[in-house]
PDB file of all heavy atoms in Angstrom:
ATOM      1  N   ARG A 113    -176.081-117.003   4.626  1.00  0.00           N
ATOM      2  CA  ARG A 113    -176.421-118.415   4.375  1.00  0.00           C
ATOM      3  C   ARG A 113    -175.165-119.289   4.393  1.00  0.00           C
ATOM      4  O   ARG A 113    -175.151-120.351   5.005  1.00  0.00           O
ATOM      5  CB  ARG A 113    -177.156-118.548   3.042  1.00  0.00           C
ATOM      6  CG  ARG A 113    -178.597-118.039   3.097  1.00  0.00           C
ATOM      7  CD  ARG A 113    -179.261-118.072   1.729  1.00  0.00           C
ATOM      8  NE  ARG A 113    -180.664-117.702   1.816  1.00  0.00           N
ATOM      9  CZ  ARG A 113    -181.103-116.456   1.881  1.00  0.00           C
ATOM     10  NH1 ARG A 113    -180.217-115.441   1.867  1.00  0.00           N
ATOM     11  NH2 ARG A 113    -182.397-116.188   1.972  1.00  0.00           N
ATOM     12  N   GLU A 114    -174.126-118.842   3.703  1.00  0.00           N
ATOM     13  CA  GLU A 114    -172.869-119.583   3.743  1.00  0.00           C
ATOM     14  C   GLU A 114    -172.341-119.638   5.170  1.00  0.00           C
ATOM     15  O   GLU A 114    -171.831-120.678   5.620  1.00  0.00           O
ATOM     16  CB  GLU A 114    -171.829-118.932   2.839  1.00  0.00           C
ATOM     17  CG  GLU A 114    -170.492-119.677   2.866  1.00  0.00           C
ATOM     18  CD  GLU A 114    -169.332-118.829   2.351  1.00  0.00           C
ATOM     19  OE1 GLU A 114    -169.244-117.656   2.725  1.00  0.00           O
ATOM     20  OE2 GLU A 114    -168.534-119.378   1.590  1.00  0.00           O
ATOM     21  N   ALA A 115    -172.442-118.517   5.879  1.00  0.00           N
ATOM     22  CA  ALA A 115    -171.940-118.473   7.252  1.00  0.00           C
ATOM     23  C   ALA A 115    -172.659-119.486   8.130  1.00  0.00           C
ATOM     24  O   ALA A 115    -172.033-120.164   8.953  1.00  0.00           O
ATOM     25  CB  ALA A 115    -172.097-117.061   7.821  1.00  0.00           C
ATOM     26  N   MET A 116    -173.966-119.634   7.976  1.00  0.00           N
ATOM     27  CA  MET A 116    -174.703-120.593   8.792  1.00  0.00           C
ATOM     28  C   MET A 116    -174.344-122.029   8.427  1.00  0.00           C
ATOM     29  O   MET A 116    -174.307-122.910   9.298  1.00  0.00           O
ATOM     30  CB  MET A 116    -176.206-120.363   8.649  1.00  0.00           C
ATOM     31  CG  MET A 116    -176.701-119.042   9.238  1.00  0.00           C
ATOM     32  SD  MET A 116    -176.105-118.726  10.924  1.00  0.00           S
ATOM     33  CE  MET A 116    -176.815-120.108  11.818  1.00  0.00           C
ATOM     34  N   ASP A 117    -174.063-122.279   7.159  1.00  0.00           N
ATOM     35  CA  ASP A 117    -173.569-123.614   6.787  1.00  0.00           C
ATOM     36  C   ASP A 117    -172.238-123.912   7.473  1.00  0.00           C
ATOM     37  O   ASP A 117    -172.000-125.029   7.947  1.00  0.00           O
ATOM     38  CB  ASP A 117    -173.404-123.718   5.271  1.00  0.00           C
ATOM     39  CG  ASP A 117    -174.723-123.906   4.542  1.00  0.00           C
ATOM     40  OD1 ASP A 117    -175.764-124.065   5.219  1.00  0.00           O
ATOM     41  OD2 ASP A 117    -174.718-123.894   3.301  1.00  0.00           O
ATOM     42  N   VAL A 118    -171.368-122.897   7.522  1.00  0.00           N
ATOM     43  CA  VAL A 118    -170.078-123.065   8.192  1.00  0.00           C
ATOM     44  C   VAL A 118    -170.288-123.324   9.684  1.00  0.00           C
ATOM     45  O   VAL A 118    -169.604-124.164  10.289  1.00  0.00           O
ATOM     46  CB  VAL A 118    -169.194-121.825   7.972  1.00  0.00           C
ATOM     47  CG1 VAL A 118    -167.961-121.854   8.884  1.00  0.00           C
ATOM     48  CG2 VAL A 118    -168.763-121.733   6.515  1.00  0.00           C
ATOM     49  N   VAL A 119    -171.227-122.615  10.294  1.00  0.00           N
ATOM     50  CA  VAL A 119    -171.542-122.808  11.710  1.00  0.00           C
ATOM     51  C   VAL A 119    -171.907-124.273  11.977  1.00  0.00           C
ATOM     52  O   VAL A 119    -171.434-124.883  12.944  1.00  0.00           O
ATOM     53  CB  VAL A 119    -172.698-121.875  12.131  1.00  0.00           C
ATOM     54  CG1 VAL A 119    -173.323-122.322  13.450  1.00  0.00           C
ATOM     55  CG2 VAL A 119    -172.197-120.433  12.246  1.00  0.00           C
ATOM     56  N   VAL A 120    -172.737-124.849  11.118  1.00  0.00           N
ATOM     57  CA  VAL A 120    -173.129-126.248  11.290  1.00  0.00           C
ATOM     58  C   VAL A 120    -171.954-127.174  11.015  1.00  0.00           C
ATOM     59  O   VAL A 120    -171.685-128.113  11.779  1.00  0.00           O
ATOM     60  CB  VAL A 120    -174.318-126.593  10.372  1.00  0.00           C
ATOM     61  CG1 VAL A 120    -174.623-128.098  10.402  1.00  0.00           C
ATOM     62  CG2 VAL A 120    -175.554-125.802  10.776  1.00  0.00           C
ATOM     63  N   ASP A 121    -171.237-126.922   9.923  1.00  0.00           N
ATOM     64  CA  ASP A 121    -170.131-127.817   9.539  1.00  0.00           C
ATOM     65  C   ASP A 121    -169.038-127.869  10.604  1.00  0.00           C
ATOM     66  O   ASP A 121    -168.483-128.947  10.885  1.00  0.00           O
ATOM     67  CB  ASP A 121    -169.528-127.361   8.206  1.00  0.00           C
ATOM     68  CG  ASP A 121    -170.454-127.614   7.026  1.00  0.00           C
ATOM     69  OD1 ASP A 121    -171.379-128.434   7.167  1.00  0.00           O
ATOM     70  OD2 ASP A 121    -170.245-126.979   5.969  1.00  0.00           O
ATOM     71  N   ARG A 226    -181.833-121.892   7.210  1.00  0.00           N
ATOM     72  CA  ARG A 226    -181.906-120.868   6.159  1.00  0.00           C
ATOM     73  C   ARG A 226    -183.328-120.300   6.056  1.00  0.00           C
ATOM     74  O   ARG A 226    -183.518-119.082   5.956  1.00  0.00           O
ATOM     75  CB  ARG A 226    -181.482-121.456   4.822  1.00  0.00           C
ATOM     76  CG  ARG A 226    -180.023-121.861   4.731  1.00  0.00           C
ATOM     77  CD  ARG A 226    -179.666-122.264   3.309  1.00  0.00           C
ATOM     78  NE  ARG A 226    -178.451-123.046   3.243  1.00  0.00           N
ATOM     79  CZ  ARG A 226    -178.399-124.344   2.984  1.00  0.00           C
ATOM     80  NH1 ARG A 226    -179.518-124.998   2.749  1.00  0.00           N
ATOM     81  NH2 ARG A 226    -177.243-124.985   2.952  1.00  0.00           N
TER      82      ARG A 226
END
Side-chain angles (χ1 to χ4, degrees):
R113 286 175 175 81
E114 180 198 44
M116 293 311 298
D117 283 354
V118 169
V119 163
V120 173
D121 289 342
R226 293 187 198 108

